[in-house]
Amino acid sequence: MKSTSPLTLGEFIIDKQADFQYSSGELSRLLSAIRLASKVVNQQVNKAGLVDIIGAMGNQNVQGEEQQKLDVFANEVFIAALNNREVVCGIASEENEDFIDVRTGENSQKSKYVVLIDPLDGSSNIDVNVNVGTIFSIYRRVSQDGPVQLEDFLQPGNKQVAAGYVVYGSSTMLVYTTGNGVNGFTLDPALGVFYLSHPNIKIPTKGKIYSINEGNYIKFPQGIKDYIKYCQEEKEGRPYTSRYIGSLVADFHRNMLKGGIYIYPSYSQSPKGKLRLLYECNPMGFLAEQAGGKASNGFQRILDLNPVELHERTPFVCGSSEMVEKVEEFMKNAERNEKS
Ligand code: P6P
């Protein structure tokens, strides 16, 4: 008899384990650790306005950004969940300058996986109650046994075995891929259970939403300026709508469901843009491609970039495939004009 209740995330992970090339059960346990941590963080995010957990700790993280208490809390929760279950051998986080070797127990000594994480993206929105999110990226280690090495983390995005995000908002969702499509799960807060609510998500090939911080317009490369003007023209179904929350996970999630494009370009003060390649752009790029979309740095596929530093930045253009292609067209034309 067909089950009437929707699949839970736990059931889904087990069901799909067989799809996964390396199905030893370890990746399933890793995803379950992330599931647990996201519930713990969600509980604090949802009551952040009620307890004295808002407000900067007076510290700064490795990015030199004011560290919100929830940033620190989320980082500790995810590291603890992954560490305690001994499902990974190494972790890199936006909140930590160096990667962490977590081969503490017998099992983690044998673990094949490393995780890179942005534990609470969009944290500047925490105290104004706007959606924030967690982003994670999972690789198989490339070094042999023994201590994890920097090379285990500096892998191109096309080597990811899984990636996903949690968006903490009006409802909390966990969205992830293991390379066989993208599925979204919504948390029932009363039961503490994630249910499959968005099976096999596909990004529309084009949309009418563009997400970019237009306050930086005068600093943008010419190709981006040209694309913004294109979005605003009154023809061929335009102007598009500008929607920018200031939280990558929230903007990406909306654009993935409705169609649209998110752009964080290079600009004069930051020639590599703002977003981090390893734990923001690669996981979101993997998800976008698995959902039929695209992710680029304006000129080439994000997942083909070869990282050289743990916290390196990259310009980021991601979302509906035809919209990303149009940005790349403007970028190439502008570059050609500048050279001529
Ligand atoms: P800006 C949040 O700090 C973040 O990394 C993304 O989540 C967000 O899209 C972007 O930066 C916002 O940056 O410069 O527009 O405020």
Side-chain angles (χ1 to χ4, degrees):
M1 191 170 106
K2 187 173 178 334
S3 160
T4 50
S5 65
L7 218 48
T8 69
L9 175 55
E11 291 163 340
F12 186 87
I13 290 171
I14 292 165
D15 283 359
K16 295 297 177 185
Q17 181 170 300
D19 291 352
F20 187 60
Q21 189 182 354
Y22 309 101
S23 59
S24 66
E26 192 178 354
L27 183 67
S28 299
R29 286 196 302 279
L30 202 171
L31 293 168
S32 292
I34 289 173
R35 172 175 53 129
L36 170 67
S38 58
K39 291 180 193 175
V40 174
V41 171
N42 175 66
Q43 203 176 41
Q44 290 303 331
V45 167
N46 281 351
K47 62 182 183 183
L50 300 176
V51 296
D52 178 31
I53 198 163
I54 281 185
M57 288 183 72
N59 302 332
Q60 291 203 337
N61 64 12
V62 293
Q63 322 299 339
E65 294 162 347
E66 199 63 37
Q67 211 162 29
Q68 298 283 340
K69 283 183 177 177
L70 264 179
D71 269 352
V72 176
F73 172 77
N75 195 41
E76 289 166 0
V77 167
F78 276 94
I79 290 174
L82 293 165
N83 203 356
N84 297 342
R85 294 211 172 173
E86 298 190 44
V87 289
V88 297
C89 55
I91 300 170
S93 168
E94 178 178 41
E95 300 298 331
N96 297 76
E97 190 153 1
D98 295 317
F99 62 85
I100 309 165
D101 184 317
V102 290
R103 295 168 313 110
T104 48
E106 188 186 333
N107 292 332
S108 52
Q109 297 277 351
K110 300 193 295 277
S111 172
K112 306 183 281 292
Y113 297 109
V114 296
V115 174
L116 298 101
I117 193 163
D118 182 355
L120 210 64
D121 173 73
S123 52
S124 56
N125 288 312
I126 291 169
D127 47 5
V128 292
N129 206 19
V130 167
N131 291 22
V132 292
T134 297
I135 308 172
F136 60 90
S137 172
I138 303 171
Y139 291 85
R140 290 171 64 80
R141 72 180 293 179
V142 291
S143 62
Q144 297 314 312
D145 296 337
V148 286
Q149 307 294 326
L150 184 57
E151 65 175 330
D152 295 315
F153 300 93
L154 297 186
Q155 299 186 54
N158 56 40
K159 298 290 188 194
Q160 290 176 99
V161 295
Y165 60 81
V166 185
V167 54
Y168 308 99
S170 48
S171 66
T172 289
M173 281 192 69
L174 190 153
V175 179
Y176 83 98
T177 181
T178 56
N180 296 296
V182 179
N183 292 280
F185 300 80
T186 300
L187 180 67
D188 177 334
L191 299 177
V193 177
F194 280 103
Y195 286 103
L196 179 63
S197 54
H198 297 70
N200 195 27
I201 298 174
K202 291 297 176 194
I203 304 182
T205 55
K206 53 188 172 194
K208 290 185 174 294
I209 296 170
Y210 69 103
S211 306
I212 187 169
N213 183 344
E214 295 190 58
N216 295 322
Y217 179 84
I218 54 173
K219 305 169 198 164
F220 286 155
Q222 189 55 46
I224 296 297
K225 290 179 179 174
D226 296 340
Y227 180 70
I228 290 172
K229 290 305 165 204
Y230 168 85
C231 292
Q232 294 168 345
E233 278 177 341
E234 290 196 288
K235 63 179 181 180
E236 299 164 356
R238 301 189 299 276
Y240 296 154
T241 296
S242 175
R243 286 282 182 277
Y244 189 70
I245 296 177
S247 181
L248 166 62
V249 174
D251 281 318
F252 178 90
H253 182 70
R254 179 204 54 244
N255 292 350
M256 184 154 74
L257 298 183
K258 293 180 176 283
I261 190 165
Y262 173 98
I263 307 173
Y264 207 105
S266 61
Y267 54 96
S268 37
Q269 287 94 319
S270 184
K272 298 277 274 182
K274 173 182 183 183
L275 299 187
R276 309 295 177 168
L277 173 59
L278 289 178
Y279 40 79
E280 289 175 333
C281 301
N282 272 340
M284 299 314 251
F286 188 22
L287 287 159
E289 290 194 359
Q290 283 290 312
K294 282 199 165 190
S296 159
N297 64 0
F299 297 98
Q300 68 180 101
R301 184 185 182 221
I302 278 288
L303 300 191
D304 290 339
L305 298 179
N306 287 306
V308 293
E309 286 172 16
L310 205 52
H311 299 289
E312 75 177 68
R313 303 173 192 265
T314 177
F316 191 50
V317 182
C318 183
S320 295
S321 53
E322 290 185 23
M323 299 177 86
V324 173
E325 288 161 4
K326 180 58 78 175
V327 173
E328 290 177 331
E329 185 187 315
F330 277 106
M331 292 297 283
K332 289 185 180 75
N333 290 342
E335 188 179 61
R336 195 180 307 121
N337 295 340
E338 277 158 19
K339 286 177 180 168
S340 58

